[in-house]
Amino acid sequence: MPTRFDYANAIRALAMDAVQRANSGHPGAPMGMADIAEVLWNDYLSHDPNDPKWLNRDRFVLSNGHGSMLLYALLHLSGYDLPMEQLKNFRQLHSKTAGHPEYGHAPGVETTTGPLGQGLANAVGMAIAERLLASEFNRDGLPVVDHYTYVFAGDGCLMEGISHEACSLAGTLGLGKLIVIYDDNNISIDGDVKGWFRDDTPMRFESYGWQVVRKVNGHDPMEIKTAIETARAQLAQPTLICCKTLIGFGAPNREGTAKAHGAALGDAEIAAARVKLGWPHAPFVIPDEIYAGWDAKGAGRGRSLAWNELFGKYAEQYPQEAAELRRRSAGTLPADWAASMAQVIETQRAVDKPVATRKSSEAVLNAIAPKVPEFVGGSADLTESNNTIWHGAKTIAPGSLSGNYISWGVREFGMAAAMNGMALHGGVIPFGGTFLVFSDYARNAVRMSALMRTRVIYVFSHDSIGLGEDGPTHQPVEHLSSLRLIPHLKVWRPADAFETAVAWKAAVEYADGPSVLALSRQNLTPQAHGADHAAQVARGGYVLWQPELGAGQLPDAIIIATGSEVELAVKAAQALATEGRRVRVVSMPCLEVFAAQGADYREQVLPSAVARRLAVEAGVTAIWWRWVGAHGDVLGVDDFGASAPAAKVYEYFGVTVAGVRDRLAALFAKG
């Protein structure tokens, strides 16, 4: 009869063999954490390999994602659709077993991990989503949302600053169903961490408000079980379990050293490890009795069927709530969404006075948030500046994990990564705000949103030099362009209240990735919009204004602009029209969406025969040359800003109506 040690050794063997075959990877963490993983997955984790997306499953996050073979071995052994051939193809092109766990590649992978600390922050978001949904939907005796979030994390995860941001908030909120198991092996790539990481980690987490279980032998199943039982015995605090382990456990010449961390062990060392571990089987061979002990398909089916029975009773007593939970979990929008949004857009079309798009965004939120109950908003300590809250929103507070608004504190990176976790959990649509310039703090999590195609909305206000007196430290110039370079991220920079409403509609409906709303601090003049403009704004770029043209006649020049610079373009074009110059103004609120349109539509908006093109945006110019061509020009800001009232800053950089006219005059002078 196999022992627990035998079951754990199956993980170690698969990790050694897959890394050796690929001649690439990280065997140390899987070998060191195998005993912990065996106890958690075989004794506690509530999941169903037959249904990897079962709503009430426990979430398991391998934050130290370089140890990906630990997760792949667990999924394979417990019965997920991850056959041995995939493990043999570890780190190979198009395999489901990428070098780091990739969301959407293999069943059972809850999030993409590898950038250390972000998996831990994702898990905080998952735990928040679980608690919010539980508080809204559970009824006495019918806990239809009731699961844990478990995290494996290493020294590197806890060195990263994001761990402080996320774990501080988790302790403040009392996320008692979040359990983090810390692989305290004292080794990272450069060797023993004592030279650069001497934090009193248990004390640090206790100061956050966590329960801490100290000094657990990570190779003793009974100590591991006792620690997990302690964590599960209370729901008032998240728990950190500190497990002392040997990295590369079982490799006689490399265990406990950095040499076990990030490279294949070599045939001789693997052979010696097999002897030391008492594992005589050939590479990639798992005995039937080991498979039988690991197989979770039967127990998993039993759990999910029991939950389905519970949910059936729930649906009988609370049919509307059951239907709503199903809808949110499926990611579909409310039935009246389209009609509601059409009304909102028409209301914003009627706005007839200058208003900042951050204020327009707030007006849209006030109209749509009550109709989209899955919205969970928030801000990184800039609520009144980002205008991300709405009338009737309920702020989530310690001891009251219900509501729909989160004060994230000054934690931009933690906010963004936790929102990814919320979106991955499902049942909520998160959005969060900060100043556009501080998207730099959140950038890697924004990138991960795009990589995983999560439905997250970033509300980045104060989007240009137009924020004025706060000066260069707060005035973004390169940020719009740099965000536009991220694949699958849609960056919307609306020009007025109407475009802001359409941008919100597009962002909410974009279920296959994240969106950015870049919003102005300063008031913007509303533009005249035709009946067909809503559909055209949604295509990313459209003809906003041009003088009357004869049949088949093309404009003499085209100005392309976004956001606050659109009104400058329109005023310049209208002035030039009085001089007989036919200048078209194209508003392009989302370059990515416009670029994805068919060639015919793009030709209608930007006819290739019109070579005189000027792009106008108060930011760096490099990204615009694609749209203006070799004979065009770009009016922007290729330097950091300046501290002064907004109008003075615009004047200083020449981004004015006169500046637009001068650049166009130069283009006309070229012939």
Side-chain angles (χ1 to χ4, degrees):
M1 184 73 179
T3 66
R4 282 191 178 275
F5 188 59
D6 295 323
Y7 294 135
N9 282 342
I11 297 173
R12 295 185 176 102
L14 289 172
M16 290 190 298
D17 294 340
V19 172
Q20 184 66 25
R21 185 181 180 106
N23 196 28
S24 173
H26 301 75
M31 296 174 74
M33 297 194 79
D35 299 299
I36 305 167
E38 188 278 323
V39 172
L40 176 63
W41 276 62
N42 282 331
D43 290 8
Y44 295 100
L45 195 72
S46 181
H47 64 120
D48 183 3
N50 311 283
D51 185 5
K53 293 296 185 181
W54 170 40
L55 188 151
N56 200 45
R57 69 193 181 279
D58 287 341
R59 270 59 170 182
F60 174 76
V61 175
L62 183 70
S63 188
N64 47 341
H66 54 270
S68 57
M69 266 309 304
L70 173 64
L71 179 55
Y72 299 145
L74 288 165
L75 295 171
H76 170 77
L77 292 167
S78 59
Y80 285 80
D81 184 16
L82 194 67
M84 186 66 82
E85 283 305 308
Q86 290 292 336
L87 274 62
K88 291 180 179 179
N89 285 327
F90 178 55
R91 289 187 162 225
Q92 303 308 302
L93 187 64
H94 302 314
S95 76
K96 295 182 179 181
T97 50
H100 291 81
E102 299 282 357
Y103 176 73
H105 285 211
V109 175
E110 299 285 1
T111 180
T112 298
T113 55
L116 293 177
Q118 282 201 63
L120 175 54
N122 294 163
V124 170
M126 293 174 185
I128 290 173
E130 191 273 342
R131 287 292 81 196
L132 295 181
L133 293 172
S135 69
E136 182 174 358
F137 288 100
N138 287 356
R139 298 294 183 270
D140 288 344
L142 296 169
V144 291
V145 181
D146 182 21
H147 52 266
Y148 285 85
T149 302
Y150 294 98
V151 184
F152 281 5
D155 291 299
C157 292
L158 300 190
M159 288 185 223
E160 286 285 1
I162 192 173
S163 71
H164 297 261
E165 295 184 23
C167 294
S168 172
L169 183 65
T172 299
L173 295 179
L175 299 175
K177 303 194 84 174
L178 173 64
I179 299 174
V180 177
I181 301 178
Y182 167 34
D183 181 28
D184 183 12
N185 62 31
N186 294 115
I187 296 294
S188 65
I189 293 175
D190 282 356
D192 193 310
V193 301
K194 288 197 292 292
W196 50 87
F197 184 52
R198 295 192 181 188
D199 300 16
D200 187 332
T201 298
M203 186 175 292
R204 171 185 149 196
F205 274 77
E206 285 171 349
S207 76
Y208 292 155
W210 287 55
Q211 173 183 231
V212 176
V213 183
R214 299 171 178 247
K215 297 181 180 179
V216 176
N217 182 346
H219 302 297
D220 184 331
M222 293 312 298
E223 286 196 29
I224 298 165
K225 281 180 64 71
T226 299
I228 295 174
E229 291 287 351
T230 301
R232 290 167 57 98
Q234 60 83 38
L235 297 178
Q237 299 171 285
T239 298
L240 178 74
I241 299 173
C242 300
C243 287
K244 295 298 296 184
T245 66
L246 275 173
I247 190 171
F249 181 91
N253 301 301
R254 295 198 178 188
E255 68 178 9
T257 73
K259 292 182 178 179
H261 173 79
L265 297 177
D267 291 332
E269 184 72 1
I270 290 175
R274 277 181 150 79
V275 172
K276 182 173 181 177
L277 294 170
W279 185 265
H281 314 291
F284 298 105
V285 172
I286 305 295
D288 289 343
E289 60 270 23
I290 299 291
Y291 272 129
W294 268 107
D295 189 2
K297 292 192 295 293
R301 177 65 75 197
R303 294 187 195 100
S304 59
L305 288 175
W307 181 85
N308 288 338
E309 184 177 344
L310 176 73
F311 192 80
K313 294 177 182 177
Y314 179 85
E316 289 177 4
Q317 297 183 46
Y318 304 99
Q320 290 183 338
E321 289 82 353
E324 177 69 3
L325 182 56
R326 287 193 194 100
R327 179 190 70 76
R328 293 196 207 175
S329 298
T332 58
L333 293 168
D336 62 349
W337 163 255
S340 298
M341 204 62 231
Q343 183 177 359
V344 171
I345 290 170
E346 289 309 305
T347 299
Q348 296 305 305
R349 185 199 300 271
V351 171
D352 60 0
K353 61 182 180 181
V355 60
T357 52
R358 62 176 176 144
K359 292 294 292 182
S360 301
S361 172
E362 181 182 40
V364 172
L365 273 175
N366 273 296
I368 67 175
K371 299 179 181 298
V372 187
E374 57 265 50
F375 269 174
V376 179
S379 173
D381 202 47
L382 289 168
T383 292
E384 297 304 318
S385 294
N386 300 144
N387 299 95
T388 43
I389 202 164
W390 62 96
H391 301 308
K394 180 183 178 184
T395 300
I396 297 160
S400 176
L401 283 176
S402 63
N404 51 14
Y405 194 83
I406 301 175
S407 292
W408 292 98
V410 188
R411 301 182 177 105
E412 296 90 350
F413 195 6
M415 173 183 73
M419 288 197 299
N420 281 337
M422 295 168 71
L424 291 165
H425 179 280
V428 298
I429 297 177
F431 64 89
T434 187
F435 289 172
L436 177 59
V437 76
F438 299 136
S439 65
D440 281 345
Y441 283 137
R443 185 180 176 85
N444 199 258
V446 177
R447 181 178 186 271
M448 297 299 290
S449 298
L451 189 82
M452 294 188 283
R453 312 290 285 263
T454 59
R455 192 186 213 165
V456 175
I457 301 171
Y458 296 98
V459 181
F460 292 151
S461 70
H462 296 59
D463 69 341
S464 73
I465 57 174
L467 71 86
E469 292 86 347
D470 279 338
T473 62
H474 283 53
Q475 291 171 5
V477 290
E478 77 276 23
H479 298 73
L480 285 167
S481 289
S482 67
L483 289 168
R484 287 169 177 150
L485 294 174
I486 300 176
H488 312 306
L489 177 66
K490 310 299 187 198
V491 180
W492 291 88
R493 188 175 186 236
D496 60 8
F498 177 79
E499 286 192 2
T500 301
V502 178
W504 259 109
K505 179 177 184 290
V508 173
E509 292 178 355
Y510 182 37
D512 198 30
S515 300
V516 164
L517 301 179
L519 307 173
S520 74
R521 174 183 185 259
Q522 73 273 33
N523 291 339
L524 306 184
T525 301
Q527 301 301 315
H529 291 287
D532 59 347
H533 275 185
Q536 292 181 357
V537 172
R539 300 184 78 166
Y542 67 106
V543 179
L544 172 62
W545 186 89
Q546 66 182 4
E548 205 167 313
L549 300 175
Q553 189 176 35
L554 292 174
D556 299 322
I558 299 172
I559 309 174
I560 310 168
T562 76
S564 47
E565 288 69 70
V566 168
E567 65 178 86
L568 305 180
V570 171
K571 288 176 181 177
Q574 290 173 341
L576 287 167
T578 66
E579 302 170 11
R581 298 291 194 185
R582 299 183 298 269
V583 179
R584 170 180 291 182
V585 176
V586 171
S587 177
M588 197 175 286
C590 187
L591 278 65
E592 303 77 41
V593 170
F594 182 75
Q597 301 302 308
D600 288 347
Y601 180 76
R602 286 185 278 115
E603 178 66 19
Q604 289 173 27
V605 177
L606 298 175
S608 53
V610 181
R612 294 189 196 95
R613 298 183 185 183
L614 174 67
V616 185
E617 185 174 69
V620 295
T621 59
I623 204 167
W624 283 103
W625 293 101
R626 171 186 180 185
W627 301 105
V628 301
H631 300 288
D633 193 10
V634 184
L635 173 57
V637 181
D638 283 318
D639 199 351
F640 297 106
S643 180
K648 293 292 185 181
V649 180
Y650 269 92
E651 184 179 350
Y652 174 74
F653 284 104
V655 185
T656 61
V657 174
V660 174
R661 293 190 62 179
D662 289 346
R663 292 297 186 94
L664 280 173
L667 288 179
F668 279 113
K670 289 181 180 179

